[in-house]
Amino acid sequence: QIPTMQLAHCLCVLILLCSAAAIHQYKDQACAVAERCNAVECDALGPENCHCSGNETIINLADRPQIVYLTFDDAFTDLAETQFYRSLFNGTYKNPNGCDIRATHFLTQSYTDYSLVNHYWHMGHEMASHSITHRNDVKYWQNLTPEQWKDEMVGMRKMIGQFASIDPCEIRGMRAPFLQGGGDNMFRMLKDNNFTYDCSWPTRSFGYTDAMNGLYPYTLDYQTAQDCPIKPCPKCSYPGMWVQPMIDLEDEWIGSNPQCPTCGNVCSMLDGCVIMGEQTKEHVYSMLMKNFNRTYNGDTDEFGQFMPGNKAPWGLYMHAAWFFGEQAWHYDGYKMFLNEITNNAKYPDVFIVPIKDGLKYMQKPVPMQVLNAWGNDDSKSPFGCKSIEDQTGKYANFRCGGGQSCRFNVTEPDDGIFGERYMKICKYKSDQTRQNCPEETNYPWLGEKNHCGGNSPCADC
């Protein structure tokens, strides 16, 4: 008879061996390791489907547009819209083709006003997924399985479609909370669930003080040239899946980087940038212009030699909380910056557009002369806005019918949510039939059956 301890040990070893075999088999079945880019094969697929990491565009530098992204993470709230978004996106700031500037909003569930999401989508803004829970634990995001990533990201897309009354297929991008990507598990989920791109991945090697050589968007058909400051990063091939790199900024905490005593520190999110010294709008403006000009115009390298910027798509990625409270100087400096770069006489090639439109340009790059000729015609130009302005095509549909406030009695112990909570949803579904509030005990959250709180159709793309 085998002693109990020895038997237990044998069983543990057997379980570990079986688990290792299962994991190995899973990887073999689900994950083709990416190879070095084969430019000939990639080019044969066309720019719509494949772009090698590290490559720029076929357009000469002087003829390229400078694409700028403005993104906002987390809940889309009435307070942020009233105090900040409304004056940023009321037509004051325009692109060279006469279109209003537009942003990308990475949304989470709690406190989002879905009627405002519908309104800003009709203004041409992009809505993207940032998770349901935004759980405050980086290890949670680092270790999610593909199914758990799906629960968070696809679940959020379904909520946006259901409660903001728009086609869920309009939500094609995502950003991981805390920029904590999940490596191959996350990208496998994206590839399997009709997402087009991820914008969670910072780059310091192609940003910060080296942003003159900014990294252009690319697909994950092949190995990436991008550095991996927040592990894990994908090792496998995901054909046609786009990455929009987050070009790191340099803040105003001069001397904080021991490797560069005359530099500020590195920051991926704008609200992570430290501004030492005078806390004025002028200081914010000068920091933003310093970073923008590196990519747009160029800068001197460590040897004092001027390096021209390559006009890689560049963004200000942030949370609206950076504007709140006693930090009005942040907002004022941000507006000063926008006022400068939307001076179309000085910057006739700068376009502030959603990420999805920057990627459309990458899929069909053309010189500025062609973009100028296309104007605001969005049947041709990735930066156009005619159907938005006329509210035609898809913008003629998906009306919200006004917002309705829904009350819930919530118990979500894993996320520390208890008691009364409200959310504002559209009165009509995307098919224009009437929508009521979910039952008070059915707060939309994780779980296939819970994503829309029992409301139908709770469709996905």
Side-chain angles (χ1 to χ4, degrees):
Q1 186 175 6
I2 302 176
T4 303
M5 290 294 292
Q6 187 177 350
L7 178 60
H9 176 75
C10 291
L11 286 172
C12 287
V13 171
L14 182 62
I15 289 169
L16 288 171
L17 289 173
C18 290
S19 298
I23 291 170
H24 180 74
Q25 182 182 23
Y26 167 79
K27 287 184 175 180
D28 286 346
Q29 291 177 349
C31 183
V33 176
E35 300 176 351
R36 292 188 63 181
C37 183
N38 185 319
V40 174
E41 291 183 1
C42 188
D43 290 346
L45 294 172
E48 300 90 349
N49 303 308
C50 187
H51 189 85
C52 290
S53 172
N55 288 359
E56 297 182 2
T57 76
I58 60 172
I59 307 301
N60 291 330
L61 180 59
D63 296 325
R64 298 175 191 173
Q66 174 63 66
I67 295 168
V68 173
Y69 302 130
L70 308 179
T71 77
F72 301 92
D73 289 8
D74 299 350
F76 197 123
T77 66
D78 177 73
L79 187 61
E81 194 279 328
T82 302
Q83 294 191 12
F84 307 118
Y85 300 157
R86 190 174 300 179
S87 60
L88 291 178
F89 304 113
N90 63 1
T92 299
Y93 307 111
K94 293 187 179 291
N95 287 321
N97 60 359
C99 295
D100 295 347
I101 66 170
R102 306 188 297 277
T104 297
H105 304 265
F106 291 97
L107 303 177
T108 52
Q109 153 64 341
S110 292
Y111 307 112
T112 284
D113 184 331
Y114 289 94
S115 65
L116 287 174
V117 170
N118 179 284
H119 177 62
Y120 272 71
W121 178 82
H122 276 95
M123 292 168 59
H125 290 238
E126 179 185 12
M127 303 301 157
S129 184
H130 191 42
S131 82
I132 293 174
T133 68
H134 204 292
R135 194 163 287 175
N136 191 24
D137 178 4
V138 294
K139 293 292 185 183
Y140 169 79
W141 302 103
Q142 188 177 18
N143 297 315
L144 288 183
T145 66
E147 280 303 309
Q148 290 171 318
W149 277 109
K150 179 180 178 181
D151 195 10
E152 289 275 8
M153 296 301 174
V154 173
M156 190 64 218
R157 177 166 67 187
K158 290 161 66 178
M159 290 184 191
I160 297 169
Q162 181 72 35
F163 299 125
S165 184
I166 59 179
D167 183 349
C169 290
E170 289 293 310
I171 294 88
R172 302 304 290 267
M174 71 145 275
R175 174 172 290 157
F178 310 107
L179 308 184
Q180 180 56 69
D184 287 300
N185 281 349
M186 187 183 83
F187 278 95
R188 182 189 172 207
M189 181 279 297
L190 291 171
K191 179 65 177 174
D192 290 347
N193 288 280
N194 295 316
F195 283 93
T196 300
Y197 74 87
D198 171 69
C199 185
S200 308
W201 194 343
T203 176
R204 296 172 190 178
S205 297
F206 297 92
Y208 188 41
T209 56
D210 294 312
M212 303 85 75
N213 301 308
L215 190 61
Y216 273 73
Y218 60 90
T219 62
L220 281 173
D221 295 61
Y222 298 98
Q223 283 180 9
T224 177
Q226 187 168 351
D227 49 322
C228 184
I230 304 176
K231 293 178 174 58
C233 294
K235 302 294 184 184
C236 298
S237 172
Y238 302 94
M241 176 57 59
W242 286 86
V243 172
Q244 173 56 64
M246 300 174 68
I247 294 175
D248 276 342
L249 306 175
E250 179 195 4
D251 70 13
E252 291 295 290
W253 191 2
I254 307 301
S256 59
N257 182 353
Q259 296 179 340
C260 182
T262 60
C263 301
N265 215 334
V266 63
C267 43
S268 304
M269 302 289 290
L270 177 56
D271 40 312
C273 297
V274 177
I275 301 177
M276 303 294 284
E278 292 185 353
Q279 297 188 340
T280 63
K281 62 182 180 181
E282 290 80 10
H283 202 167
V284 173
Y285 168 79
S286 66
M287 179 184 75
L288 298 181
M289 287 302 301
K290 171 183 69 177
N291 283 279
F292 168 78
N293 277 322
R294 263 200 195 110
T295 301
Y296 181 60
N297 289 317
D299 200 359
T300 54
D301 64 14
E302 58 184 313
F303 303 108
Q305 183 176 355
F306 182 79
M307 303 290 292
N310 68 353
K311 292 186 176 179
W314 177 90
L316 294 179
Y317 311 115
M318 62 171 294
H319 303 82
W322 197 62
F323 294 148
F324 280 107
E326 298 178 358
Q327 303 178 106
W329 54 284
H330 286 167
Y331 185 56
D332 293 338
Y334 188 89
K335 289 194 295 182
M336 283 181 66
F337 171 73
L338 293 183
N339 192 60
E340 171 68 15
I341 68 170
T342 56
N343 181 334
N344 302 148
K346 290 177 67 174
Y347 303 92
D349 53 356
V350 174
F351 289 83
I352 302 175
V353 296
I355 292 173
K356 67 179 180 65
D357 293 341
L359 296 181
K360 282 182 184 176
Y361 176 82
M362 289 296 299
Q363 293 171 326
K364 188 181 178 181
V366 295
M368 276 301 306
Q369 297 92 318
V370 176
L371 285 174
N372 289 335
W374 284 344
N376 73 346
D377 185 352
D378 49 7
S379 69
K380 297 177 180 178
S381 174
F383 308 149
C385 61
K386 184 166 174 46
S387 65
I388 299 168
E389 292 178 345
D390 296 343
Q391 290 294 284
T392 55
K394 65 183 180 183
Y395 296 104
N397 304 313
F398 307 112
R399 295 297 169 182
C400 183
Q404 58 184 329
S405 183
C406 302
R407 178 187 178 280
F408 296 91
N409 185 17
V410 185
T411 304
E412 293 292 346
D414 288 345
D415 297 287
I417 303 175
F418 301 94
E420 192 174 66
R421 182 157 289 200
Y422 290 84
M423 61 184 284
K424 197 170 186 181
I425 70 173
C426 286
K427 291 181 179 178
Y428 289 96
K429 304 176 187 180
S430 59
D431 64 1
Q432 299 302 278
T433 58
R434 189 72 168 83
Q435 173 166 234
N436 296 318
C437 289
E439 295 292 328
E440 286 192 4
T441 55
N442 288 351
Y443 185 61
W445 207 244
L446 292 177
E448 184 74 22
K449 295 181 180 179
N450 300 328
H451 286 158
C452 299
N455 281 18
S456 63
C458 203
D460 188 30
C461 180

